[in-house]
Amino acid sequence: MGTSYGDDAMNYQITKDPIKIENVVQKVVQREAGAITTFIGTVRELTHGRRTLYLEYEAYESMALKKLEQIGKEIAEKWPDTKTAITHRIGRLEITDIAVVIAVSTPHRAESYEANRYAIERIKEIVPIWKKEHWEDGEEWVGNQLGTREYTDGKPGEEDLHD
């Protein structure tokens, strides 16, 4: 098991199991840290006025893990002495289920907030995870997490898997 920029590869996970927040947080605890911030992304019921029943997340897992590690490296370069852990869930998620947990530790709080926000924005930009929304009156593959690209056949095309 190798390390990169102080983060263990096990700090980045894709799972079908419910995410335990404390497990993600424990991965970033360090003596040098004066702050740990967490972001917990949950499944909401209403999106653009439509009632969601549940979501299905899918991922190109090997690429998604590489991209999560890349985000950790980017954070470490921008904010030295930072440690990051990200776990994203796939499969069927019900309303209020946790879809993603990001934990970031830094020596000071401002950097911790900034790095954590950076992580979620980058996940939406570059990590090949997509979702199908199930509503009372239908369902739809949403496409990329920014909502800028549709995946009409339920998964990204080859052109979508490169940045």
Side-chain angles (χ1 to χ4, degrees), residues 6 10 29 62 81 92 94 132 136 142 145:
M10 290 303 297
V29 171
S62 60
D81 303 316
R92 180 178 168 140
E94 304 297 333
K132 187 177 205 178
E136 293 174 302
V142 175
Q145 293 195 60

Side-chain angles (χ1 to χ4, degrees), residues 63-82:
M63 177 70 80
L65 287 170
K66 287 178 186 170
K67 294 298 184 180
L68 292 176
E69 288 182 46
Q70 176 185 326
I71 292 167
K73 289 177 185 176
E74 291 172 5
I75 287 171
E77 289 170 2
K78 291 172 90 55
W79 295 279
D81 303 316
T82 299

Side-chain angles (χ1 to χ4, degrees), residues 37-42 98 100-104 116-117 120 124:
T37 58
T38 56
F39 173 82
I40 302 164
T42 59
I98 296 171
V100 63
V101 174
I102 302 166
V104 177
N116 200 296
R117 174 149 191 176
I120 191 60
K124 289 180 174 287

Side-chain angles (χ1 to χ4, degrees), residues 29-117:
V29 171
Q30 55 180 333
R31 296 174 69 86
E32 301 81 8
I36 297 175
T37 58
T38 56
F39 173 82
I40 302 164
T42 59
V43 178
R44 68 177 167 261
E45 184 175 33
L46 293 174
T47 303
H48 306 295
R50 277 182 114 168
R51 183 171 175 259
T52 302
L53 301 176
Y54 64 94
L55 298 179
E56 287 180 72
Y57 280 95
E58 289 190 11
Y60 177 12
E61 290 186 51
S62 60
M63 177 70 80
L65 287 170
K66 287 178 186 170
K67 294 298 184 180
L68 292 176
E69 288 182 46
Q70 176 185 326
I71 292 167
K73 289 177 185 176
E74 291 172 5
I75 287 171
E77 289 170 2
K78 291 172 90 55
W79 295 279
D81 303 316
T82 299
K83 196 165 187 181
T84 303
I86 304 169
T87 300
H88 204 298
R89 188 170 171 198
I90 58 173
R92 180 178 168 140
L93 278 72
E94 304 297 333
I95 305 304
T96 74
D97 280 353
I98 296 171
V100 63
V101 174
I102 302 166
V104 177
S105 67
T106 59
H108 305 285
R109 70 181 172 272
E111 293 84 0
S112 190
Y113 281 114
E114 292 169 18
N116 200 296
R117 174 149 191 176

